[in-house]
Amino acid sequence: MEQQGSVEDAVLSLTDVAFAYPGEGEVLHGVDFELGAGERVAIVGESGSGKSTLLHLAAGLEAADRGEVHLAGEALAGLDEAARTRLRRARVGIVFQSFHLIPTLTVLENVMLPLELATKAGAAERRERAARQLAAVGLADKEARYPEALSGGEQQRVAIARALVHEPALILADEPTGNLDSRTGETVFALLLEQVRATGCSLLLVTHSHELARRLDRVLTMRDGILQAVDSAEAASA
Ligand SMILES: Nc1ncnc2c1ncn2[C@@H]1O[C@H](COP(=O)(O)OP(=O)(O)OP(=O)(O)O)[C@@H](O)[C@H]1O
Ligand SMILES: [Mg+2]
């Protein structure tokens, strides 16, 4: 039987993590969090409470000042920046609020990029896998376009394809529907969930929408740099 809850088994774990930006006050004050394989968790919380900072630490883009971050079984503190980058490229897919597609690459080339950075796949295989992932998000007919010739919702669907194409263990999504109207946001959110489910990867998603958050397995609230289960947060404010 699989062991539950050990740091080694979790896709992501943070233990008593504190973090301050250089020259600033502490933003995260002792975050404990564990994300299991295939688990989908939402984080809500006020602007400035530290949600994006938490995702940066999870991705190894920033290093914790105190505590431990394990990503895919590896302690990030034990890795130098190059090794952290390699681990992130191999194991993580990131979806940003503002899409972050590369404007000088076509849609297909954007989706091929993670395969180039993180796998040994040759050009033909990269092209084939990227095309398959684009078809899965309903954009097979837009492969040759440049991002500027797509709608916002379509750009985010390309970003989702790019995040998933190398079969990462973890998707980090920072307000992925924040720049979309509510109907497009709903479509994109449903697509993201469907694709995460289809690939079996874990999802950590930041959103301002409690309605979207409730559709994941678990909802946590970030409050002044402390992460709480929604139940205990509600109990605390009751
Ligand atoms: N690069 C930075 N340098 C210094 N301070 C920063 C930096 N990025 C964020 N901060 C500060 O850290 C705190 C947490 O920011 P963070 O971006 O994590 O909040 P957030 O919860 O994602 O907010 P939002 O919902 O507005 O995106 C804020 O006080 C912010 O001003
Ligand atoms: Mg943020």
Side-chain angles (χ1 to χ4, degrees), residues 21 24 27 46-53 175 208:
Y21 289 99
E24 306 280 336
V27 176
E46 282 178 13
S47 180
S49 60
K51 306 181 298 295
S52 295
T53 303
E175 298 184 43
H208 282 282

Side-chain angles (χ1 to χ4, degrees), residues 140-156:
D141 56 336
K142 304 276 160 72
E143 274 183 16
R145 292 208 188 179
Y146 286 88
E148 65 176 9
L150 298 183
S151 71
E154 288 168 343
Q155 288 186 52
Q156 196 62 309

Side-chain angles (χ1 to χ4, degrees), residues 40-164:
R40 298 170 294 254
V41 171
I43 296 179
V44 296
E46 282 178 13
S47 180
S49 60
K51 306 181 298 295
S52 295
T53 303
L54 176 73
L55 293 196
H56 288 162
L57 282 153
L61 291 163
E62 302 279 1
D65 296 322
R66 187 185 80 224
E68 287 181 18
V69 181
H70 283 77
L71 173 61
E74 298 230 37
L76 293 188
L79 305 177
D80 63 18
E81 200 179 326
R84 283 206 311 268
T85 300
R86 273 199 303 278
L87 181 66
R88 176 172 59 251
R89 285 176 174 170
R91 310 294 281 165
V92 181
I94 306 182
V95 182
F96 300 93
Q97 178 173 351
S98 49
F99 323 137
H100 281 305
L101 300 176
I102 296 176
T104 53
L105 298 181
T106 67
V107 162
L108 185 69
E109 288 162 352
N110 266 278
V111 179
M112 287 168 67
L113 198 56
L115 296 171
E116 205 167 311
L117 296 173
T119 73
K120 294 190 165 65
E125 186 191 340
R126 292 202 301 270
R127 199 163 279 278
E128 199 261 323
R129 284 174 67 178
R132 206 174 337 129
Q133 190 62 59
L134 273 171
V137 301
L139 290 176
D141 56 336
K142 304 276 160 72
E143 274 183 16
R145 292 208 188 179
Y146 286 88
E148 65 176 9
L150 298 183
S151 71
E154 288 168 343
Q155 288 186 52
Q156 196 62 309
R157 281 151 63 193
V158 175
I160 289 169
R162 182 182 57 180
L164 285 157

Side-chain angles (χ1 to χ4, degrees), residues 1 46 61-62 82 93-94 100 107 110 115 152 157 159 165 171 181 191 196 198 200 207 220 227-228:
M1 214 176 87
E46 282 178 13
L61 291 163
E62 302 279 1
I94 306 182
H100 281 305
V107 162
N110 266 278
L115 296 171
R157 281 151 63 193
V165 72
I171 297 287
D181 67 74
L191 182 77
V196 162
T207 178
L220 301 172
L227 201 57
Q228 303 172 298

